[in-house]
Amino acid sequence: LAGELLRLGQLPARGFFRLVAVLPLFSPPFTIGFSYLRMFGRFGVITHGLFGLEVSILGWWSLWVVQTLSNFPYAALAIERALAATPPTLEAAARDLGGGWLAVFRTITLPLARPAVAGAALLVAIYVLADFANPLIIGGFSPEQAATDVEGGWLPNGQVAAVTALVGGVMTLAMGLIA
C-alpha cells in the first residue's frame, strides 16, 4: 500500500513522504532499535519524561515494530518501482468500466504487483534473519536468535536438515507467490 501511495502522482507532499520512507536506509538498523529504546523504554523520553510511566518494552512485540520500521524502505521502494513499471492504461480502463479505487487495486494493481511483493518479502526476510543488533537490543538481550545461532555454529550439530527444510519452505512459498 505504501508503494502505491508513493507511486501516485496526486499525493500531496510526495517528496516528503518518499524521504521519510527511505530515511531508515541512511542509518544502521541498531540505531533505530536504540532510538526506540531511548524514546519508549523504562526511562524513555516519551514514556517516562512525558507520561511518567516506567514500563518495559523489551520483548517480541517491540522487536517486531523495530524490525518493521528498519526494513520498511526495502519493501516500499521495491514495490513502488514495480508498480511504476505497470501500464497505467490497465487501471484507467478498469475505472472507465465503473470500478472503484478499492476494486481496481484488488483486481488489477495487486495481482500485477504480486511478484514484487513476494520479492520484497523475501528481501526483508533475509535482512531480518541477518540482523544481530535489534534482537540483542530490543529482544530482551537474549543471544538465542536465529542469526547468532547460525553464526555460533549450531549447524554442524545435526540440525542441517531442519535448516534445509526451513530454507526450502521459504523458497517454495516465495515461488508460489510469484507464480
Side-chain angles (χ1 to χ4, degrees), residues 1-144:
L1 189 57
E4 175 71 7
L5 289 174
L6 289 174
R7 180 185 69 114
L8 293 175
Q10 64 266 26
L11 179 69
R14 183 174 140 199
F16 172 74
F17 287 117
R18 177 170 285 139
L19 177 68
V20 169
V22 300
L23 217 52
L25 292 176
F26 298 120
S27 67
F30 77 89
T31 58
I32 295 172
F34 185 69
S35 300
Y36 183 77
L37 195 59
R38 296 289 293 160
M39 287 189 302
F40 301 107
R42 180 159 296 187
F43 294 105
V45 173
I46 294 174
T47 53
H48 186 68
L50 291 178
F51 299 115
L53 301 172
E54 291 185 19
V55 295
S56 175
I57 60 162
L58 299 178
W60 189 84
W61 287 104
S62 295
L63 180 61
W64 182 77
V65 168
V66 168
Q67 292 289 61
T68 300
L69 290 174
S70 64
N71 293 305
F72 169 77
Y74 300 113
L77 292 175
I79 293 169
E80 178 198 4
R81 290 290 102 209
L83 289 174
T86 61
T89 55
L90 294 173
E91 293 176 353
R95 282 193 199 97
D96 287 343
L97 292 172
W101 182 85
L102 185 61
V104 171
F105 180 76
R106 186 177 44 83
T107 59
I108 304 293
T109 308
L110 201 55
L112 288 173
R114 190 170 43 164
V117 170
L122 192 58
L123 181 67
V124 168
I126 290 169
Y127 279 115
V128 166
L129 287 175
D131 191 7
F132 287 94
N134 282 333
L136 291 176
I137 293 172
I138 300 296
F141 302 98
S142 172
E144 290 86 20

